[in-house]
Structures are given as structure tokens and as C-alpha cells.
């Protein structure tokens, strides 16, 4: 059988090492040289003839991490890897999946084509922002979900699952496990990249403990706006937030900390250090390791792993 190899980019080497440990694979071996002008030169070792799984999410600085991903894929191809799977737990540019005005680029289409052109045979992602990713990406794409990982930390008794915008409704339904009486939806209007206004709340939240769920938290503006509307409607004060990807830009951690949340649940798709005590990081390494093991053995993924 072809040897399985885990290769780590610089975005989250701890996650790659943990995945390798779960699989009993050799620790990742990658050398990344940075030139004074910012150019990257990655070197991979011992991948000839191997089934390679390259772990490199693309959090901020997204363009640097994406360029590194493409270079690592090319390095594996030139080192004669038998098969290359790009494991990108957090996929940047996934929000750019449609035009909102003439003359705009479709970032997710451009960069998934680049991943394929660099030499990747398959892409693995976790809870991407766009549901159309599999249709857009030119190579086979496995879309995993971290909802079961996060949901096991939430007791649904006397709680209501909140979708902070219409785009999060499907995700909220997964958390609510099919119980529509556990759901409420906030209709919002995004005024800028950092400013959001709430339009209305659909659903009953009075006296109930809210759990606001989303695929990602960027600036925290959507969470802050949703929480303000929930408190106006007399939801219980101890709110929990659950999101797969903690992108946390423009002071988002401090913004969330000041809201007085009971818990902020995220996963380690993106590496974090020194978060406040109410933040809890749940590992997706077992989820990714199980998916990689199945794909390496040419087996179908378990239905609870995928969003399909």
C-alpha cells in the first residue's frame, strides 16, 4: 500500500502534528525559507511515491498562507508524490462565491483553480462559508463539518439556537437536531466590513438561553449585533457562541470578551494563543484524522463527518 504522509505548512503545524499522531504517521517534515523580500521557498522531504495530505489552513495573512499552500503542493508534485490532498480546514476567500456588482472577481473560484493547477488531486475543507464549493472547485472536494464536535459541548435543554443571519440558518438547523422550536433567526444588514445592523428577530427567545452559531467569527460585529437584539427581546443573559473558525481580526477577541458571554466555542482550524478564559478551543484533529484514514484506504466518509 502507498505510504501515508502528513505535511505541515506554517499556518497550523500543531494541528498537522496532532493528526499525524492520531494516524501513527511520521511527524511532518517541512522546511520553509523566507527571503528578505517576503518570498517563500518551502522544501518537503520523503514524499516520493507517497499519498500526501498537506495541512495548511489560510487564515490571516491569507495571501501569504495561500501562496505557501500553492508552493507546497508544487513541491510535493515535483518530489513525485503519488497523490496530493490539500487539507485546508479554514479556506480563505470562500465568501467570494458570487458577484454583488459588475466587475468583481470570484475569489473562491480563482483560488480553488489555483490549488488544482498547482497539482492537488483532492481538497478537504471544514464548514466552508460557501455551500457551492463542491460545484465551484475543479477537483474532488470533501466538505467536513465540526458541528458534532462543538454541539457536544452545548446542553440544548432550555436553550434556543440562534442563526445570526439568514446565511447561518442551515448550520443552526444542524445544531438544533431537527427541532424547529429550538431555532430563531436574526435578519441583519451589513453596512461595511466591520459594521452590521439588525433588522428583526424571527422566533421566540424570551427567558431562554441563547446559543449563537455561525461558521466563522471575523470581526465579531455580527455576534455583537445579534446579541443586542436578543437582549432587547428578553433572552436569558448567559449567552453562548459557537463557531467553527475563529478568524478574530480587528480586535474581535476583545470585542467578544466585553459582551459578557458565558462561553465562546471555536475549533482549532486556526491556531490561537492566549485567549480569555471564556473561550474554549475544541480539536478537530480526530475528525480530520478519521477522514484522511478513510480516503487513504479509498473508503467512503462516514455521514456524520460530512455536510453532504
Amino acid at each position: 500500500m502507498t505510504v501515508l504522509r502528513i505535511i505541515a505548512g506554517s499556518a497550523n503545524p500543531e494541528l498537522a502534528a496532532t493528526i499525524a499522531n492520531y494516524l501513527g504517521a511520521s511527524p511532518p517534515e517541512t522546511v520553509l525559507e523566507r527571503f528578505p523580500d517576503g518570498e517563500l521557498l518551502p522544501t518537503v522531504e520523503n514524499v516520493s511515491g507517497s499519498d500526501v495530505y498537506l495541512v495548511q489552513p489560510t487564515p490571516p495573512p491569507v495571501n501569504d498562507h495561500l501562496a505557501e499552500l500553492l508552493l507546497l503542493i508544487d513541491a510535493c508534485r515535483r518530489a513525485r508524490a503519488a497523490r496530493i490532498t490539500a487539507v485546508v480546514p479554514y479556506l480563505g476567500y470562500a465568501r467570494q462565491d458570487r458577484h454583488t456588482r459588475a466587475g468583481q472577481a470570484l475569489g473562491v473560484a480563482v483560488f480553488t483553480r489555483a490549488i488544482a493547477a498547482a497539482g492537488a488531486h483532492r481538497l478537504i475543507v471544514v464548514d466552508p462559508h460557501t455551500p457551492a464549493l463542491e460545484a465551484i472547485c475543479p477537483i474532488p472536494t470533501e466538505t467536513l463539518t465540526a458541528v458534532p464536535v462543538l454541539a457536544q459541548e452545548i446542553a440544548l435543554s432550555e436553550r434556543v439556537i440562534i442563526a445570526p443571519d439568514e446565511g447561518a440558518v442551515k448550520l443552526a438547523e444542524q445544531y438544533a437536531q431537527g427541532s424547529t422550536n429550538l431555532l430563531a433567526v436574526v435578519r441583519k444588514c451589513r453596512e461595511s466590513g466591520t459594521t452590521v445592523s439588525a433588522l428583526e428577530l424571527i422566533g421566540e427567545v424570551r427567558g431562554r438561553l441563547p446559543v449563537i452559531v455561525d461558521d466563522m467569527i471575523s470581526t465579531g460585529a455580527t455576534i455583537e449585533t445579534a446579541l443586542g437584539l436578543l437582549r432587547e427581546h428578553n433572552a436569558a443573559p448567559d449567552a453562548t457562541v459557537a463557531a467553527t473558525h475563529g478568524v478574530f481580526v480587528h480586535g474581535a477577541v476583545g470585542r467578544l470578551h466585553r459582551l459578557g458571554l458565558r462561553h465562546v466555542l471555536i475549533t482549532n482550524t486556526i491556531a490561537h494563543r492566549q485567549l480569555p478564559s471564556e473561550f474554549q478551543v475544541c480539536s478537530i484533529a480526530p475528525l480530520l484524522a478519521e477522514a484522511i484514514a478513510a480516503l487513504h484506504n479509498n473508503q467512503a466518509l462516514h455521514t456524520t463527518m460530512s455536510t453532504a
Side-chain angles (χ1 to χ4, degrees):
M1 180 180 290
T2 306
V3 175
L4 185 153
R5 295 285 296 164
I6 303 296
I7 297 296
S10 67
N12 199 339
E14 296 87 356
L15 176 60
T18 305
I19 292 169
N21 184 58
Y22 271 104
L23 293 169
S26 300
E29 297 178 13
T30 310
V31 176
L32 180 65
E33 184 176 358
R34 297 180 184 271
F35 291 97
D37 64 355
E39 288 185 10
L40 305 173
L41 179 59
T43 303
V44 297
E45 301 178 359
N46 303 321
V47 300
S48 179
S50 299
D51 185 14
V52 172
Y53 292 81
L54 173 53
V55 181
Q56 172 75 347
T58 56
V62 58
N63 297 324
D64 286 356
H65 287 139
L66 180 58
E68 183 185 345
L69 171 64
L70 298 177
L71 292 169
L72 281 165
I73 293 170
D74 185 69
C76 290
R77 179 179 64 84
R78 294 178 187 277
R80 299 183 298 278
R83 186 169 65 174
I84 305 167
T85 299
V87 182
V88 190
Y90 169 69
L91 179 68
Y93 285 94
R95 286 176 287 188
Q96 297 186 28
D97 63 342
R98 63 176 65 86
H99 294 123
T100 58
R101 71 177 82 172
Q104 290 182 331
L106 291 180
V108 70
V110 172
F111 289 112
T112 53
R113 286 200 301 267
I115 289 169
H121 300 96
R122 182 192 287 116
L123 175 65
I124 298 176
V125 297
V126 181
D127 289 327
H129 193 74
T130 174
L133 182 62
E134 292 183 47
I136 294 170
C137 186
I139 55 177
T141 302
E142 305 293 346
T143 304
L144 309 183
T145 181
V147 169
V149 177
L150 293 166
Q152 67 183 0
E153 303 296 331
I154 302 168
L156 291 180
S157 176
E158 298 182 6
R159 295 183 183 271
V160 56
I161 304 297
I162 309 295
D165 56 31
E166 292 94 326
V169 171
K170 183 176 179 182
L171 189 70
E173 289 173 345
Q174 294 181 55
Y175 278 93
Q177 302 172 358
S179 300
T180 55
N181 63 330
L182 294 177
L183 284 174
V185 181
V186 175
R187 289 189 58 242
K188 77 173 185 183
C189 175
R190 180 169 289 281
E191 299 171 4
S192 71
T194 57
T195 306
V196 174
S197 61
L199 301 178
E200 67 173 317
L201 176 66
I202 303 170
E204 180 56 53
V205 300
R206 182 182 298 273
R208 303 174 76 180
L209 296 166
V211 180
I212 305 171
V213 300
D214 212 341
D215 64 296
M216 62 185 290
I217 303 173
S218 183
T219 66
T222 295
I223 301 299
E224 183 178 43
T225 300
L227 186 61
L229 188 61
L230 292 170
R231 287 172 174 170
E232 288 178 12
H233 285 74
N234 299 311
D238 288 340
T240 294
V241 172
T244 300
H245 312 293
V247 183
F248 297 155
V249 294
H250 294 294
V253 171
R255 189 178 204 167
L256 294 172
H257 180 62
R258 290 189 294 272
L259 294 177
L261 297 164
R262 182 177 185 180
H263 295 296
V264 179
L265 303 173
I266 57 172
T267 75
N268 60 341
T269 57
I270 297 172
H272 294 290
R273 292 174 178 84
Q274 297 182 336
L275 293 171
S277 60
E278 70 271 22
F279 285 64
Q280 178 180 340
V281 180
C282 304
S283 179
I284 59 158
L287 172 71
L288 288 169
E290 184 180 351
I292 289 170
L295 295 171
H296 176 63
N297 292 304
N298 296 313
Q299 298 172 350
L301 299 187
H302 196 281
T303 55
T304 59
M305 300 167 60
S306 173
T307 60

